[in-house]
Amino acid sequence: MAAENSKQFWKRSAKLPGSIQPVYGAQHPPLDPRLTKNFIKERSKVNTVPLKSKKASSFHEFARNTSDAWDIGDDEEEDFSSPSFQTLNSKVALATAAQVLENHSKLRVKPERSQSTTSDAPVNYKVIKSSSDAQLSRNSSDTCLRNPLHKQQSLPLRPIIPLVARISDQNASGAPPMTVREKTRLEKFRQLLSSHNTDLDELRKCSWPGVPREVRPVTWRLLSGYLPANTERRKLTLQRKREEYFGFIEQYYDSRNEEHHQDTYRQIHIDIPRTNPLIPLFQQPLVQEIFERILFIWAIRHPASGYVQGINDLVTPFFVVFLSEYVEEDVENFDVTNLSQDMLRSIEADSFWCMSKLLDGIQDNYTFAQPGIQKKVKALEELVSRIDEQVHNHFRRYEVEYLQFAFRWMNNLLMRELPLRCTIRLWDTYQSEPEGFSHFHLYVCAAFLIKWRKEILDEEDFQGLLMLLQNLPTIHWGNEEIGLLLAEAYRLKYMFADAPNHYRR
């Protein structure tokens, strides 16, 4: 019986035995199933033929099991279902191998198409199968990207974005960097921020659809409550709060080696290297030292919760935003040792205080037994049961508990489900929305779940559902997708937040 179940599993599973599977870490973006799962399924369908002889069967089984090692488009002219391939000898095998090598060489020496040719007819971009391929393909010639796929379902016509796309390049749809409308919005922000007393209600209204990169550091300080609205008081407030933070460092940081703080510091020390492991900025020793100080000081000043895994992720958006105030180029590969000591101290202190303001509103997420998260997960379950009963019943049918996937969504505020550039855009709205992190996040999670309803309903076993929900394909997301997600979340909030009879069963 066990053998039969095992056989059925491999029949319906897209994961081929022996193929390399990704291991996801703290902020490792999940792979797009269009580039893995569907591809393998399509290739399996193409290569599946009725086999007669034992000899041919073993070769075809080998070909199917190693299909993930071949590039799409190499054998587009070959028909493996033809009778000539059903009886295979060494000559045919050698001829096939020679044909593959010839196709490879033709592909590499193929002349670059002219702009007029590419503009006349739509073309598909070559599938990128790994992060290294993605980064190399971005810098390679257009011919490497524009290889038409005859056997594969066409992907959307949009630029290929590497797994670690630029944080500042938030618009992933290929729009111009600064449109006329965006310039007008930027000017509106500058007028608000330069007025004697900034109208915070108007600032929140302008920030809801996103904050321009140039004014985001000041805007975030104001929206988080770290800076006063009065412009004359801001400089003194920043100076005082930064000195206060480094006073905490002098007073408490040496105690990290004391016995009653060793467990806290050890856990922080373990978690820091796991924070955004694919972004070189966060792997620099100086940056990791800054994060250790921020998290340790916060933990000992909040003994009710202390440090909890996941809080380390919440520092990164603030750190990147305040770093961008001093760095014009992309920050992913920026060497922070090029900054002055005063700049680094300002970034560190501001990140600490803004993160503290955020956590003040959701601290019950991190106290003993994390009751805040458990309440939010239960609320998400009830909300989904009202807005999409089919998805809810699908989870119940295959015994999937919301806590198994939504705990991380609440604990990390979706940071491990989205690229960092999307998190920064999402937090623009969270900080402009009343109780954005504590209340509005629930509706964002509900909208995020329903966004994948088709993929969820296509999965028909417990394992497949959990693998999907823990590795959702968002690596290509940018402003456009986050804007649609937030619009749907706002609609759900409008319908259910003030309607308890609709919210409950």
Side-chain angles (χ1 to χ4, degrees):
M1 186 68 181
E4 183 178 349
N5 290 338
S6 176
K7 184 176 180 182
Q8 292 298 323
F9 169 77
W10 290 116
K11 275 188 176 181
R12 65 176 182 266
S13 176
K15 304 294 184 295
L16 296 180
S19 61
I20 299 175
Q21 302 302 328
V23 178
Y24 302 111
Q27 186 64 18
H28 195 300
L31 295 178
D32 193 332
R34 293 177 302 177
L35 313 183
T36 53
K37 179 177 176 181
N38 293 338
F39 166 60
I40 293 174
K41 284 183 178 179
E42 291 294 325
R43 296 289 291 183
S44 299
K45 290 178 183 177
V46 172
N47 292 337
T48 303
V49 295
L51 305 174
K52 295 179 180 179
S53 65
K54 178 89 173 178
K55 198 170 184 180
S57 175
S58 63
F59 178 85
H60 280 282
E61 287 176 1
F62 169 78
R64 286 199 301 273
N65 290 340
T66 56
S67 62
D68 55 343
W70 297 80
D71 287 333
I72 301 177
D74 290 340
D75 305 310
E76 290 171 0
E77 305 301 326
E78 304 295 335
D79 183 8
F80 288 100
S81 62
S82 62
S84 60
F85 278 87
Q86 294 185 11
T87 57
L88 194 69
N89 55 35
S90 58
K91 291 183 179 180
V92 177
L94 290 173
T96 303
Q99 181 65 40
V100 171
L101 293 174
E102 183 180 354
N103 288 343
H104 271 291
S105 61
K106 286 181 180 179
L107 180 64
R108 291 184 178 179
V109 301
K110 190 174 180 180
E112 186 174 1
R113 298 181 182 181
S114 63
Q115 293 183 355
S116 60
T117 304
T118 56
S119 60
D120 292 339
V123 292
N124 294 325
Y125 290 97
K126 186 177 179 181
V127 174
I128 303 300
K129 293 192 285 187
S130 69
S131 59
S132 59
D133 287 341
Q135 292 168 348
L136 290 173
S137 298
R138 191 177 179 89
N139 299 324
S140 62
S141 62
D142 291 343
T143 54
C144 293
L145 293 173
R146 295 168 183 164
N147 182 28
L149 311 178
H150 299 297
K151 295 182 181 179
Q152 179 71 5
Q153 183 179 1
S154 298
L155 296 177
L157 292 177
R158 61 186 303 168
I160 292 295
I161 298 180
L163 285 179
V164 187
R166 295 181 303 162
I167 295 171
S168 60
D169 184 19
Q170 292 187 358
N171 195 337
S173 58
M178 182 72 75
T179 63
V180 175
R181 181 173 177 271
E182 288 170 342
K183 289 180 180 178
T184 304
R185 291 190 67 244
L186 178 58
E187 186 60 32
K188 173 68 173 176
F189 270 94
R190 284 176 172 160
Q191 290 177 2
L192 279 170
L193 297 172
S194 61
S195 61
H196 182 68
N197 282 295
T198 300
D199 186 343
L200 294 181
D201 290 334
E202 185 65 22
L203 185 64
R204 290 189 183 96
K205 182 179 178 182
C206 292
S207 300
W208 208 99
V211 181
R213 182 178 187 265
E214 294 81 356
V215 294
R216 183 176 279 122
V218 178
T219 303
W220 276 27
R221 292 187 188 105
L222 286 165
L223 294 180
S224 65
Y226 175 43
L227 273 187
N230 186 284
T231 53
E232 295 179 356
R233 294 174 49 206
R234 290 177 191 171
K235 186 176 181 179
L236 290 175
T237 301
L238 281 177
Q239 183 179 351
R240 176 175 56 84
K241 297 297 284 185
R242 288 167 180 172
E243 290 176 355
E244 185 179 354
Y245 168 72
F246 284 101
F248 295 152
I249 295 291
E250 294 177 6
Q251 184 176 357
Y252 299 117
Y253 192 58
D254 288 340
S255 66
R256 67 188 183 279
N257 296 319
E258 296 177 4
E259 185 176 355
H260 58 291
H261 287 153
Q262 278 188 357
D263 290 342
T264 297
Y265 181 72
R266 185 183 300 112
Q267 189 60 57
I268 292 172
H269 192 73
I270 291 171
D271 288 348
I272 292 299
R274 300 174 181 170
T275 306
N276 296 287
L278 295 181
I279 300 181
L281 172 70
F282 299 110
Q283 304 310 309
Q284 298 178 35
L286 186 55
V287 173
Q288 294 186 356
E289 290 173 13
I290 290 173
F291 275 48
E292 284 184 4
R293 288 195 294 267
I294 290 174
L295 294 172
F296 182 76
I297 296 301
W298 188 89
I300 63 175
R301 293 189 74 245
H302 296 80
S305 61
Y307 173 77
V308 178
Q309 284 183 296
I311 295 179
N312 56 305
D313 288 330
L314 306 184
V315 186
T316 56
F318 292 115
F319 184 83
V320 167
V321 167
F322 297 138
L323 175 62
S324 67
E325 196 169 21
Y326 303 98
V327 180
E328 293 185 1
E329 65 266 24
D330 297 319
V331 300
E332 284 85 341
N333 298 292
F334 181 77
D335 185 357
V336 296
T337 58
N338 294 327
L339 296 177
S340 68
Q341 189 67 22
D342 289 340
M343 291 178 181
L344 288 172
R345 287 169 65 91
S346 299
I347 294 169
E348 180 176 347
D350 292 354
S351 299
F352 169 82
W353 287 115
C354 288
M355 185 199 74
S356 298
K357 293 287 186 180
L358 185 162
L359 290 172
D360 285 347
I362 57 172
Q363 192 170 353
D364 62 340
N365 285 9
Y366 305 103
T367 53
F368 178 73
Q370 300 184 262
I373 291 179
Q374 297 194 46
K375 289 177 184 176
K376 290 182 177 70
V377 171
K378 183 64 177 175
L380 177 65
E381 181 177 356
E382 294 187 4
L383 182 59
V384 172
S385 71
R386 303 304 298 164
I387 63 179
D388 199 323
E389 191 173 5
Q390 188 178 4
V391 169
H392 179 70
N393 290 336
H394 194 70
F395 286 151
R396 294 182 64 182
R397 178 182 177 185
Y398 295 104
E399 300 180 348
V400 174
E401 299 291 339
Y402 283 76
L403 202 64
Q404 292 168 332
F405 63 88
F407 181 90
R408 190 171 75 177
W409 297 9
M410 302 299 178
N411 190 56
N412 300 91
L413 300 177
L414 286 176
M415 283 197 62
R416 298 194 181 181
E417 323 309 319
L418 300 170
L420 185 53
R421 64 182 181 276
C422 293
T423 297
I424 292 173
R425 166 63 190 91
L426 187 67
W427 285 21
D428 287 342
T429 300
Y430 279 3
Q431 294 194 88
S432 61
E433 181 77 18
E435 299 181 323
F437 293 99
S438 60
H439 185 62
F440 187 60
H441 180 66
L442 168 67
Y443 299 95
V444 172
C445 288
F448 187 66
L449 180 63
I450 301 306
K451 167 79 171 77
W452 311 103
R453 74 180 310 274
K454 181 181 181 301
E455 291 82 355
I456 289 170
L457 296 176
D458 286 344
E459 295 290 344
E460 296 183 348
D461 58 68
F462 174 85
Q463 182 186 14
L465 281 167
L466 276 192
M467 289 183 66
L468 169 69
L469 292 167
Q470 293 176 359
N471 301 284
L472 290 166
T474 60
I475 57 173
H476 292 273
W477 277 30
N479 276 358
E480 182 182 348
E481 289 81 2
I482 294 298
L484 292 172
L485 179 70
L486 288 168
E488 177 63 14
Y490 186 82
R491 185 185 71 86
L492 293 176
K493 180 190 173 188
Y494 182 79
M495 292 175 62
F496 292 97
D498 299 321
N501 292 333
H502 290 214
Y503 180 74
R504 297 170 186 153
R505 284 192 173 277

